[in-house]
């Protein structure tokens, strides 16, 4: 995707990676629409960053996605980029059902069904634009499992394979499918993660990511250097060591 001149909707950008990316993309000359559930944050973002539009959306709720999509497309008919950023990460204990059933349903609904429904709401419109992008957001944990978050890891593996598959189907359209694969990044996705010394500082991650988008506009996967340890264990042949290192270094967090 081009680094500037787009109109971009980012459901899941009231905080963390989404917000940081939204601000950088606006600074590069894109029109950005920030989405999320927290109305107080949406109001603050709109106040503090003139030019950024905001839309309330709950991506775990199909009616909310439909309403928000209608709203966004009415206000921004030139929209050509969807970044399906919204995601949650929850610890689970799979020894007994009460340790994971509810969490798993909620993680899969937000992290997998959410992006699927978002793409459903925008894919026809995006094909009317001469140059369009769907950006999905997976994780290094799509490729190497963290012991404490089985459903999260699986949700991100699903996003990876969906991205690979949808890209093949949409190859006959104007819509590119790009997968952002963050490593551990210091955000509030789980308590204490923003201070996790094993995670990449948010600003560094977003700066490197913007550099990759700018220098490789045709890239199908956006991988900062730090994610390659998790991303390519199987390819390098050191997968078992990578799994061991990840889970020894950071057993309760990411
Ligand atoms: N941080 C990491 O280490 C890391 C690593 C790899 C991948 N990722 C992925 O990066 C994405 C952003 O995460 P983050 O680290 O920036 O965490 P974050 O600060 O917690 O941000 C999550 C964003 O998703 C939104 N969101 C969550 N559930 C939503 C829902 N049902 N409807 C609408 N928006 C929802 C939140 O907004 P509201 O609460 O306002 O709705 C928030 O804006 C996620 O997909 C995550 O899995 C993160």
């Amino acid at each position: 995707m081009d680094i500037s001149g787009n109109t971009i909707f980012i459901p899941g950008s009231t905080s963390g990676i989404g917000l940081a990316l939204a601000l950088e993309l606006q600074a590069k000359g894109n029109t950005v629409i920030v989405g999320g559930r927290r109305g107080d944050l949406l109001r603050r973002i709109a106040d503090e960053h003139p030019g950024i539009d905001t839309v309330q959306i709950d991506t775990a709720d199909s009616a909310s996605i439909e309403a928000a999509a209608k709203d966004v497309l009415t206000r921004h008919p030139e929209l050509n980029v969807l970044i399906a950023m919204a995601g949650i990460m929850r610890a689970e204990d799979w020894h007994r059902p009460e340790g994971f059933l509810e969490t798993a349903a909620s993680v899969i609904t937000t992290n997998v069904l959410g992006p699927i429904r978002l793409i459903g709401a925008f894919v026809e419109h995006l094909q009317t634009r001469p140059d369009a992008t769907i950006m999905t957001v997976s994780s290094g944990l799509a490729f190497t499992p963290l012991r404490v978050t089985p459903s999260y890891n699986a949700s991100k593996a699903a996003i990876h394979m969906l991205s690979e598959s949808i890209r093949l189907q949409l190859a006959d359209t104007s819509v590119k499918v790009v997968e952002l694969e963050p490593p551990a990044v210091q955000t509030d996705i789980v308590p204490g993660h923003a201070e996790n010394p094993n995670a990449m500082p948010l600003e560094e991650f977003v700066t490197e990511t913007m550099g990759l988008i700018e220098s490789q506009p045709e890239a199908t996967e956006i991988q900062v250097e730090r994610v390659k340890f998790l991303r390519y264990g199987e390819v390098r042949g050191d997968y078992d060591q990578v799994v061991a290192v990840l889970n020894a270094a950071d057993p309760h967090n990411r």
Side-chain angles (χ1 to χ4, degrees):
M1 94 179 221
D2 289 338
I3 194 77
S4 62
N6 304 291
T7 300
I8 306 173
F9 178 40
I10 317 179
S13 54
T14 51
S15 63
I17 295 173
L19 178 58
L21 201 56
L23 299 181
E24 287 297 316
L25 286 165
Q26 191 203 26
K28 279 282 180 189
N30 297 282
T31 300
V32 179
I33 305 111
V34 162
R37 293 164 300 179
R38 287 172 285 179
D40 53 333
L41 293 185
L42 292 170
R43 278 187 293 280
R44 192 196 305 167
I45 292 164
D47 284 350
E48 289 178 359
H49 303 283
I52 285 198
D53 196 3
T54 59
V55 171
Q56 196 151 27
I57 179 170
D58 179 353
T59 64
D61 174 359
S62 58
S64 173
I65 290 179
E66 274 171 40
K70 208 168 154 195
D71 197 7
V72 167
L73 292 176
T74 303
R75 274 146 59 179
H76 301 276
E78 72 289 4
L79 184 102
N80 70 324
V81 179
L82 169 70
I83 304 182
M85 180 65 69
I88 57 171
M89 182 180 194
R90 300 281 184 267
E92 296 170 339
D93 178 354
W94 279 62
H95 291 93
R96 50 197 70 81
E98 57 273 26
F100 68 90
L101 278 183
E102 217 173 292
T103 317
S106 151
V107 167
I108 298 301
T109 300
T110 302
N111 294 9
V112 183
L113 258 184
I116 288 172
R117 287 173 169 153
L118 280 167
I119 293 169
F122 285 95
V123 71
E124 285 177 309
H125 167 82
L126 291 174
Q127 288 173 77
T128 68
R129 307 299 300 149
D131 190 7
T133 298
I134 294 170
M135 187 181 288
T136 57
V137 183
S138 66
S139 167
L141 301 182
F143 306 94
T144 301
L146 185 64
R147 186 182 58 84
V148 291
T149 55
S151 297
Y152 180 82
N153 309 336
S155 76
K156 294 302 183 177
I159 290 299
H160 171 65
M161 190 47 73
L162 273 172
S163 309
E164 293 278 298
S165 312
I166 298 164
R167 186 177 305 119
L168 294 176
Q169 282 208 11
L170 297 183
D172 59 354
T173 73
S174 58
V175 184
K176 298 189 179 90
V177 178
V178 179
E179 179 185 350
L180 177 63
E181 299 169 4
V185 177
Q186 291 173 342
T187 69
D188 292 323
I189 190 158
V190 286
H193 195 53
E195 291 80 42
N196 181 351
N198 295 321
M200 188 171 183
L202 178 59
E203 203 184 312
E204 263 177 47
F205 170 73
V206 170
T207 301
E208 194 176 338
T209 296
M210 289 295 290
L212 289 170
I213 295 173
E214 191 155 23
S215 62
Q216 301 170 22
E218 299 302 322
T220 54
E221 294 174 73
I222 301 174
Q223 302 163 339
V224 298
E225 283 307 312
R226 286 266 294 253
V227 83
K228 292 180 180 172
F229 175 66
L230 299 179
R231 171 68 178 85
Y232 290 115
E234 267 194 320
V235 175
R236 286 189 308 263
D238 60 5
Y239 176 78
D240 290 346
Q241 286 155 267
V242 175
V243 173
V245 168
L246 175 72
N247 287 284
D250 210 357
H252 301 299
N253 216 321
R254 104 200 314 247

